[in-house]
Structures are given as structure tokens and as C-alpha cells.
Amino acid sequence: MVKRMIACCLLLVLALFGCTETKNTQYYMMDTVMSFSITGENAIAAERAIADRVAQLETVFSPTREDSELFRVNENAGSAMEVSRDFANLLALSLKASAETQGAFDVTLGGAVELWAHGKVPASEELEAQVTGSEKISLFENTLQTQKGLKLNFGAVAKGYASDCAKEILEEYEIPRALLSLGGNIYAHGEKEDGTPWNIGVRDPWGEAQDWLGILTARDEFIIASGDYERGFEEDGVRYHHILDPKTRRPATSDLRETVVVSQNGSRGDILSTALFVMGEEKAVAYWKNTRDFEMILVSSDGRVLITPNLKERFTLTKDSYILEVIG
Ligand code: ADP
Ligand code: MG
């Protein structure tokens, strides 16, 4: 009898306060490790919806899966075709970004990306033979036509787009707090339970995967990093990383080792982190000065950490081998 009363009281308490729980999961999707930590009454349902949505986006944007929409589009280059809404949306956004970044971000590098993916330096003739260039694409609503031979690749933006979609789901399910990591792309939703912002580690490009050079606080923001340490291979003692300079179709010889973009939009953050890396320090700083609608951290190859002024109170350098500079 007493036991039953206790159980009833417990149920009443749970019913009154709702059942807040945290769901932690990890997946390998979009060619990277993703981890989700979601807290709230609807955590389980929201987590399921996000995992399903990201898995579905993988069937749209995977460059290697032969059943993906992108694979079909690349195979059919030269003829007009209908594309899905996600595909049309992200392609339109990417074409705009290409113009805005003066070609530093280029969604038409698919052929070159494929050649570099074999783990050895491709022949120059092969690289030069690739068909690239936004002007070889016509997109009207959902109808796409690309020039024969042209291959699209969304590797520098698809994870950012997926994080935007995940944010929408968190809002739809009224999730108060969550921390999502889609490879190097972080979305910090809400704040920690104690009311303080999330702490996001900024990777040390000279260190191992879990080595931070500093900590950034964040609330309701995307923190998206690109760097030469992420993927690549070595040949004859030279390292070749995965971010290409569209002008040469070779790994960008940037004077930056890492770029971190803090943004209200995941797709834009992902595009910019790649584009700023290709631009190099001088052009990246000039680009920021012209737009000022995002924050950034640049790690230069001579060991300086450059931050935009609004990050001054939010970024703490934790390694004294670096020199911190605030962009003026
Ligand atoms: P990561 O995938 O490690 O998060 P990025 O967001 O910087 O890194 O994207 C790099 C990927 O984007 C490459 O693996 C390649 O598929 C593609 N890519 C490389 N260079 C460019 C570029 N200049 N513009 C657009 N996409 C690129
Ligand atoms: Mg990117």
C-alpha cells in the first residue's frame, strides 16, 4: 500500500514537471562522425527526426553513393533534369556564394575533388581537363542543366546545410538545449542548464584531434571550422590537404592553417570557413571588413590567432605558444 502511494506520488511529480531527459547519440554520416546531445521533454523524438533528416540529406548530396541524387545529376550532365527542393536550394545558395567569394568557394570542383580523393597526386593534364565554372550551370526553380562533363560537389557546404535543418527540427520540437556536432560543424542550441553559454573548443591545427588552442563561448550559434589538418595524404614527404584553390585545382597554398566561422546560419558558416581558408589572411580579413555579419577566428601558419573584436570577451587562448591578435 505504502509502496503504491510512493509510486503514485512519483508519477504525479513526473507529470507535473515533465520528463526532461538528455539523449546522446553518435553516427557516421556524410563521411564524418556526428554526435548529438539533446535535452528536453521531446529529446527522443527530436533526436530521431534529426538523425533521419541527416540520413535523408546524405542520399541527396553524397558524391560517392551511386544511389544519391548528386551522383545521378553528375551522370546526367549535359541534359536538363528536375532536382529535389533541397538540391535546388543548396545549389542556388552555393552559386550565390561563389560569386560573393569571387570564386574561392566553388561548387563545380567535383571532378578535381574526385581526382584528389585517390590518395595520390593526379596528373596535371587530368586536372586541367576537368570542366568547372558556375557559368556552365543553369538553374530555374527545380530545373537544372549543367554542361557535359561538369561535376558538382557539396562537400564544403552540405554539413552546414544539414546543421541548419537540424536547428529547425530542434525549434519545431521545442528543445531548450542541445549541442550538435556534424564533423567540424557545431551548432550550440540554447545554453547549459546552469544558464551559462556552451564552451566550444577550437582545434589546435598542430595538435591531435582533441587538442584545443582555445575555448569559445556560444549560445544559439553555429561554429564551423575548416583546416588543412582535417583530411589529406602525404606523397614524397609533401602533405596534400583537401581544400582546393579553384584557380589551380590543387590544395590551396594558404597562409592560414585553420579558419573558424561563428554564424547565425550553418550553410553560410560552412561556405565561409572553406572560402576564407582559400582566400588566405589578407583577403579573408578584407572580406570580413566588408561584410561584418559573422565572427571569425583565423589561425595563421606562423602561429598567430586572429579574432574579430566581438569575440574578445568570448574567446580564451589556452596555449601560450600562440600569439593572440584582435582584428582592427
Ligand atoms: P570539411 O569537409 O573537412 O568540413 P570543408 O567544409 O572546408 O571541410 O570542405 C572541404 C570539402 O569541400 C572538400 O573535401 C571538397 O569535397 C570540397 N572542396 C574543396 N575545395 C573547395 C572549394 N574551394 N570550394 C568548394 N568546395 C571545395
Ligand atoms: Mg566548409
Side-chain angles (χ1 to χ4, degrees):
M1 182 67 181
V2 176
K3 262 191 194 162
R4 199 188 285 167
M5 269 174 65
I6 293 174
C8 281
C9 287
L10 210 66
L11 275 177
L12 193 68
V13 168
L14 281 176
L16 282 176
F17 291 98
C19 188
T20 296
E21 57 179 307
T22 299
K23 178 89 176 147
N24 293 307
T25 47
Q26 261 206 4
Y27 300 92
Y28 193 84
M29 290 192 287
M30 293 183 138
D31 204 21
T32 193
V33 178
M34 302 199 174
S35 47
F36 306 145
S37 177
I38 300 171
T39 304
E41 278 179 52
N42 304 325
I44 292 174
E47 194 282 332
R48 190 68 263 144
I50 290 173
D52 287 349
R53 179 76 168 118
V54 178
Q56 181 251 326
L57 287 173
E58 184 174 317
T59 71
V60 177
F61 295 114
S62 168
T64 48
R65 277 177 58 164
E66 296 193 4
D67 60 347
S68 77
E69 184 174 0
L70 175 63
F71 200 89
R72 174 179 66 84
V73 166
N74 285 344
E75 289 276 288
N76 286 330
S79 31
M81 52 202 140
E82 293 296 301
V83 292
S84 67
R85 186 188 300 201
D86 282 319
F87 199 100
N89 278 349
L90 195 54
L91 180 56
L93 200 81
S94 298
L95 293 173
K96 208 167 135 239
S98 190
E100 273 170 15
T101 62
Q102 292 174 343
F105 170 85
D106 186 348
V107 77
T108 70
L109 283 176
V113 169
E114 241 172 57
L115 287 176
W116 285 100
H118 300 313
K120 59 179 173 43
V121 178
S124 298
E125 310 82 67
E126 272 190 299
L127 272 177
E128 278 154 28
Q130 298 308 310
V131 179
T132 66
S134 301
E135 71 288 352
K136 300 190 178 88
I137 299 174
S138 91
L139 176 70
F140 180 71
E141 291 175 353
N142 283 356
T143 306
L144 168 67
Q145 174 140 26
T146 59
Q147 194 168 303
K148 201 165 172 41
L150 187 130
K151 284 186 178 168
L152 298 168
N153 180 287
F154 294 91
V157 63
K159 280 177 276 166
Y161 183 73
S163 65
D164 281 328
C165 297
K167 177 191 172 175
E168 271 177 31
I169 293 171
L170 292 175
E171 285 170 353
E172 192 185 313
Y173 283 83
E174 296 175 354
I175 295 296
R177 77 184 120 265
L179 199 58
L180 310 180
S181 166
L182 293 78
N185 296 17
I186 308 278
Y187 173 56
H189 181 70
E191 54 191 12
K192 286 191 294 185
E193 199 162 6
D194 63 5
T196 61
W198 297 105
N199 293 314
I200 310 296
V202 175
R203 169 93 184 256
D204 177 355
W206 276 273
E208 299 298 318
Q210 295 298 324
D211 262 343
W212 313 127
L213 62 76
I215 304 286
L216 181 73
T217 60
R219 264 190 194 99
D220 292 317
E221 269 165 333
F222 296 87
I223 300 97
I224 299 189
S226 281
D228 63 12
Y229 48 82
E230 200 63 55
R231 288 161 204 252
F233 62 89
E234 219 178 276
E235 189 177 296
D236 298 332
V238 181
R239 200 182 128 72
Y240 297 89
H241 62 77
H242 72 313
I243 303 174
L244 305 181
D245 182 343
K247 288 203 187 87
T248 60
R249 302 169 183 186
R250 294 170 185 279
T253 51
S254 182
D255 57 358
L256 298 173
R257 289 215 60 199
E258 180 179 7
T259 51
V260 181
V261 173
V262 183
S263 166
Q264 297 297 317
N265 180 282
S267 308
R268 181 162 157 76
D270 202 359
I271 285 170
L272 285 180
S273 71
T274 309
L276 297 171
F277 184 94
V278 173
M279 288 177 196
E281 179 178 333
E282 204 183 315
K283 283 190 181 157
V285 169
Y287 184 90
W288 175 79
K289 284 186 175 169
N290 268 326
T291 45
R292 292 180 192 257
D293 62 348
F294 65 97
E295 306 298 329
M296 67 178 184
I297 303 172
L298 306 177
V299 185
S300 70
S301 43
D302 60 2
R304 286 169 301 123
V305 178
L306 288 89
I307 61 171
T308 47
N310 286 340
L311 294 186
K312 240 188 329 192
E313 307 299 320
R314 294 177 42 188
F315 178 74
T316 314
L317 193 66
T318 50
K319 283 213 174 151
D320 53 15
S321 49
Y322 287 93
I323 298 163
L324 186 64
E325 286 179 17
V326 179
I327 297 166

mmCIF file of all heavy atoms in Angstrom, residues 155-157 224 226 269-271 273-274, ligand 2:
data_model
loop_
_atom_site.group_PDB
_atom_site.id
_atom_site.type_symbol
_atom_site.label_atom_id
_atom_site.label_comp_id
_atom_site.label_asym_id
_atom_site.label_seq_id
_atom_site.Cartn_x
_atom_site.Cartn_y
_atom_site.Cartn_z
ATOM 1 N N GLY A 155 30.733 19.134 -50.746
ATOM 2 C CA GLY A 155 31.494 18.760 -49.546
ATOM 3 C C GLY A 155 31.770 19.921 -48.594
ATOM 4 O O GLY A 155 31.910 19.722 -47.389
ATOM 5 N N ALA A 156 31.826 21.139 -49.130
ATOM 6 C CA ALA A 156 32.161 22.288 -48.278
ATOM 7 C C ALA A 156 30.939 22.983 -47.710
ATOM 8 O O ALA A 156 31.074 23.987 -47.003
ATOM 9 C CB ALA A 156 33.003 23.287 -49.080
ATOM 10 N N VAL A 157 29.733 22.451 -47.988
ATOM 11 C CA VAL A 157 28.522 23.142 -47.514
ATOM 12 C C VAL A 157 27.411 22.203 -47.031
ATOM 13 O O VAL A 157 26.536 22.612 -46.259
ATOM 14 C CB VAL A 157 27.992 24.123 -48.601
ATOM 15 C CG1 VAL A 157 27.580 23.381 -49.853
ATOM 16 C CG2 VAL A 157 26.845 24.972 -48.099
ATOM 17 N N ILE A 224 31.857 26.837 -37.093
ATOM 18 C CA ILE A 224 32.230 25.933 -38.177
ATOM 19 C C ILE A 224 33.689 26.131 -38.583
ATOM 20 O O ILE A 224 34.114 27.252 -38.882
ATOM 21 C CB ILE A 224 31.272 26.127 -39.364
ATOM 22 C CG1 ILE A 224 29.855 25.793 -38.855
ATOM 23 C CG2 ILE A 224 31.697 25.278 -40.552
ATOM 24 C CD1 ILE A 224 28.780 25.715 -39.867
ATOM 25 N N SER A 226 37.300 24.932 -40.733
ATOM 26 C CA SER A 226 37.959 24.249 -41.850
ATOM 27 C C SER A 226 39.452 24.317 -41.600
ATOM 28 O O SER A 226 39.933 25.296 -41.020
ATOM 29 C CB SER A 226 37.695 24.971 -43.177
ATOM 30 O OG SER A 226 36.424 24.671 -43.667
ATOM 31 N N GLY A 269 28.089 29.608 -42.730
ATOM 32 C CA GLY A 269 29.296 29.375 -41.943
ATOM 33 C C GLY A 269 30.200 28.354 -42.614
ATOM 34 O O GLY A 269 31.426 28.522 -42.673
ATOM 35 N N ASP A 270 29.600 27.292 -43.133
ATOM 36 C CA ASP A 270 30.386 26.233 -43.778
ATOM 37 C C ASP A 270 31.040 26.745 -45.063
ATOM 38 O O ASP A 270 32.235 26.538 -45.306
ATOM 39 C CB ASP A 270 29.464 25.032 -44.080
ATOM 40 C CG ASP A 270 30.238 23.738 -44.235
ATOM 41 O OD1 ASP A 270 31.482 23.757 -44.124
ATOM 42 O OD2 ASP A 270 29.602 22.696 -44.481
ATOM 43 N N ILE A 271 30.259 27.458 -45.851
ATOM 44 C CA ILE A 271 30.798 28.044 -47.093
ATOM 45 C C ILE A 271 31.966 28.966 -46.763
ATOM 46 O O ILE A 271 33.042 28.885 -47.358
ATOM 47 C CB ILE A 271 29.691 28.844 -47.833
ATOM 48 C CG1 ILE A 271 28.718 27.881 -48.517
ATOM 49 C CG2 ILE A 271 30.291 29.837 -48.826
ATOM 50 C CD1 ILE A 271 27.467 28.525 -49.065
ATOM 51 N N SER A 273 33.877 29.206 -44.046
ATOM 52 C CA SER A 273 35.093 28.635 -43.447
ATOM 53 C C SER A 273 36.007 28.106 -44.550
ATOM 54 O O SER A 273 37.220 28.280 -44.503
ATOM 55 C CB SER A 273 34.760 27.558 -42.408
ATOM 56 O OG SER A 273 34.256 26.402 -43.023
ATOM 57 N N THR A 274 35.414 27.502 -45.571
ATOM 58 C CA THR A 274 36.215 26.992 -46.688
ATOM 59 C C THR A 274 36.764 28.150 -47.531
ATOM 60 O O THR A 274 37.955 28.172 -47.868
ATOM 61 C CB THR A 274 35.347 26.066 -47.571
ATOM 62 O OG1 THR A 274 34.720 25.101 -46.735
ATOM 63 C CG2 THR A 274 36.189 25.373 -48.635
HETATM 64 MG MG MG B 2 33.063 24.330 -45.395
#
